[in-house]
Amino acid sequence: MRDVTCDCQAPASEAPAAPCLYVVVPCYNEEEVLPETSRRLSDKLDSLLERASISGESRILFVNDGSGDRTWQMIRALHDDPSSMGVSPSCPWFSGICFAHNEGHQNALYAGLMEALDRGCDCAISLDADLQDDVDAIDEMLAKHAAGAEIVYGVRSNRDTDTAFKRGTAGMFYDLMAWLGVEMVSNCADYRLMGRRSLRALSQYTEVNLFLRGIVPALGFTTDVVYYVRAERFAGESKYPLKKMVSFALEGITSFSVKPIRWVTMLGLVSLVVSLVMMVYTLVQALAGRVVAGWSSLMISIWLVGGLVMLSLGVVGEYVGRIYLESKGRPRYIVAESTESYENGKG
């Protein structure tokens, strides 16, 4: 008879094994902040390992999103010899993958989570490299995950570090998304813990137009929140200027709601009613012999209808563009290299 390996659960009297945690960090031109980020995350995982909150197989997974600076070289150095970057971890925490081209923050985040899932993690925490997310909140996230929460969101307790403009626009964005029927967690960016079950569910979402802030709440697992104070960016510049924030908002709206198209329909109906009213008005003016007097209203009608037509084409075009991108079936990203392949001489 051949041996059969039993994969049964441990007896209730035995303490559960410490989870394998992957900390996923998307990076785009982060050479200024990466040394401090790696040091803080390494210290955090060292302390968690010392308290048996995580296993020694846990990793910090950097995802280089086609950076144009030395970000990838620094990630490889952290993997090969952390001391060269001024870091002395108790375990070989550092790992990384490198995109062949810049594919955007959401794709980098997704790639890191799927890589963590493939490597057998029990849970994964995603956070940005700029150190604005409080790494000390990881302790509470792990505790709430151990207590039964499949997804734990890191939620900002305030927005004092933001400008008045950013606070106002962020509030309007969350209000708009709620009004559109999109399920989101207010004041939560991409700092969250996801268990293995939720990561498997996320892997089934194959759309090119990723909006993880809307997808993750839609998974439907048990959730909890951890509140923290968001700090100032440690170094470097923000990777989300106004143009990218507007694009990100449009991505979220068009990925989760068809209400804008319905608004176009309503605008068309309103335009039709206005046109009928103007037609009656024009006939009355013509019968009264005051045709010249209607010139202003005619011009206003032309501009109104023209503006509505252009707006409608723009909104519909956004959705058609999304359909076009999805229909091509191209890969969301291509991993050109990883620290493991580099180590084995395959990179």
Side-chain angles (χ1 to χ4, degrees):
M1 295 177 64
R2 62 185 180 88
D3 293 334
V4 178
T5 301
C6 180
D7 193 23
C8 301
Q9 294 182 348
S13 59
E14 294 184 12
C20 174
L21 168 69
Y22 267 67
V23 180
V24 176
V25 187
C27 300
Y28 178 66
N29 293 338
E30 300 289 2
E31 66 175 351
E32 292 182 62
V33 74
L34 202 55
E36 181 65 16
T37 301
S38 58
R39 184 188 67 78
R40 291 194 195 180
L41 289 175
S42 176
D43 290 347
K44 173 54 62 178
L45 264 62
D46 284 346
S47 67
L48 290 170
L49 180 65
E50 186 178 348
R51 300 196 306 271
S53 297
I54 61 173
S55 71
E57 287 74 37
S58 301
R59 291 293 180 267
I60 300 165
L61 178 63
F62 293 108
V63 183
N64 179 41
D65 185 21
S67 299
D69 59 4
R70 296 182 58 254
T71 296
W72 178 239
Q73 287 78 7
M74 295 171 75
I75 293 171
R76 284 203 316 203
L78 285 166
H79 174 266
D80 297 339
D81 182 15
S83 62
S84 66
M85 296 285 293
V87 183
S88 300
S90 60
C91 280
W93 298 128
F94 300 105
S95 183
I97 59 176
C98 180
F99 282 1
H101 188 267
N102 175 247
E103 301 293 351
H105 178 269
Q106 296 291 283
N107 282 320
L109 188 57
Y110 182 87
L113 294 173
M114 293 302 100
E115 182 75 12
L117 177 65
D118 291 342
R119 294 187 186 187
C121 75
D122 296 308
C123 56
I125 292 177
S126 57
L127 77 165
D128 292 337
D130 56 16
L131 293 176
Q132 289 188 279
D133 299 322
D134 183 10
V135 297
D136 289 331
I138 292 176
D139 302 67
E140 192 176 353
M141 285 182 171
L142 286 169
K144 294 198 171 186
H145 176 61
E150 178 65 20
I151 302 172
V152 183
Y153 297 101
V155 178
R156 300 176 61 168
S157 57
N158 60 65
R159 304 189 72 97
D160 294 344
T161 57
D162 289 346
T163 63
F165 174 77
K166 191 166 184 178
R167 283 196 300 270
T169 53
M172 288 190 294
F173 172 68
Y174 285 115
D175 290 342
L176 175 61
M177 295 300 280
W179 187 62
L180 291 172
V182 181
E183 185 180 356
M184 288 181 63
V185 180
S186 295
N187 294 318
C188 174
D190 291 299
Y191 190 23
R192 67 177 77 87
L193 178 149
M194 298 182 68
R196 189 166 181 82
R197 287 189 301 153
S198 56
L199 288 172
R200 283 202 200 101
L202 179 62
S203 69
Q204 299 177 44
Y205 284 71
T206 59
E207 63 253 44
V208 172
N209 305 297
L210 277 175
F211 186 68
L212 294 175
R213 297 185 195 183
I215 291 175
V216 175
L219 295 178
F221 291 95
T222 303
T223 65
D224 208 334
V225 298
V226 170
Y227 294 96
Y228 71 99
V229 177
R230 190 169 171 86
E232 296 279 358
R233 184 179 175 86
F234 180 79
E237 298 179 353
S238 171
K239 304 304 184 294
Y240 266 93
L242 180 61
K243 181 180 178 181
K244 280 195 174 182
M245 286 193 293
V246 172
S247 176
F248 186 65
L250 287 174
E251 194 80 43
I253 292 170
T254 54
S255 294
F256 280 88
S257 179
V258 295
K259 281 191 176 180
I261 290 185
R262 293 173 183 165
W263 292 345
V264 168
T265 303
M266 295 303 297
L267 282 172
L269 292 174
V270 171
S271 177
L272 176 62
V273 171
V274 172
S275 299
L276 291 173
V277 171
M278 293 306 298
M279 181 181 67
V280 173
Y281 173 76
T282 302
L283 290 174
V284 170
Q285 291 293 314
L287 292 173
R290 297 191 298 269
V291 177
V292 177
W295 182 84
S296 297
S297 58
L298 179 61
M299 291 298 101
I300 291 173
S301 299
I302 291 174
W303 282 105
L304 175 64
V305 173
L308 289 174
V309 169
M310 295 302 294
L311 175 64
S312 303
L313 286 174
V315 172
V316 174
E318 285 289 333
Y319 283 91
V320 172
R322 299 292 190 269
I323 295 170
Y324 170 66
L325 291 173
E326 295 289 346
S327 66
K328 289 189 290 187
R330 292 179 179 175
R332 282 181 290 214
Y333 53 84
I334 295 175
V335 176
E337 189 176 352
S338 74
T339 50
E340 281 64 29
S341 64
Y342 173 74
E343 184 180 54
N344 296 329
K346 300 176 184 178

